[in-house]
Amino acid sequence: FLCGRAAASFLLEHVRGRAVECRGNSEDRYGRLIAVCFIDGKDLNAMMVSEGWALAYRDYSEKYVPQENAAREASKGIWAMRFVRPWGWRRGER
């Protein structure tokens, strides 16, 4: 819960007042768009994973696994605390 707020705050600091462009054409099983989002051509997904505020969603892509591994090894963001992965949280893990 608190890590989600911290992640949202981090993202807001980087997108506030700027145009965000998201590109995607498929949905996950919950009906959410699977997309890559950019600001001025910079991949926000990669930034969030690299800084430890998001996880690589391996069910759909291995693209951000190297960034996740580096963030985990450096104890960045959520990797500096205990947390439940989002897919576990949705299943009721607390």
Side-chain angles (χ1 to χ4, degrees):
F1 180 68
L2 295 178
C3 61
R5 286 186 182 183
S9 178
F10 178 85
L11 181 60
L12 183 59
E13 288 176 30
H14 288 83
V15 301
R16 188 183 310 262
R18 299 169 74 189
V20 176
E21 176 190 358
C22 295
R23 296 181 221 142
N25 59 8
S26 61
E27 296 180 345
D28 68 9
R29 65 184 179 157
Y30 301 99
R32 296 175 301 207
L33 178 65
I34 298 171
V36 178
C37 297
F38 301 88
I39 289 181
D40 300 327
K42 182 177 180 177
D43 183 337
L44 289 176
N45 302 28
M47 179 192 73
M48 291 295 289
V49 175
S50 294
E51 294 300 320
W53 293 116
L55 301 175
Y57 202 176
R58 289 170 173 82
D59 288 352
Y60 296 94
S61 173
E62 299 279 322
K63 182 176 181 177
Y64 301 111
V65 171
Q67 291 92 333
E68 181 182 290
N69 291 339
R72 183 177 54 248
E73 289 172 18
S75 296
K76 289 179 140 185
I78 58 176
W79 298 107
M81 59 185 86
R82 291 182 56 200
F83 69 96
V84 175
R85 286 171 170 75
W87 39 92
W89 183 269
R90 286 190 292 275
R91 287 193 310 261
E93 293 175 32
R94 301 291 188 266

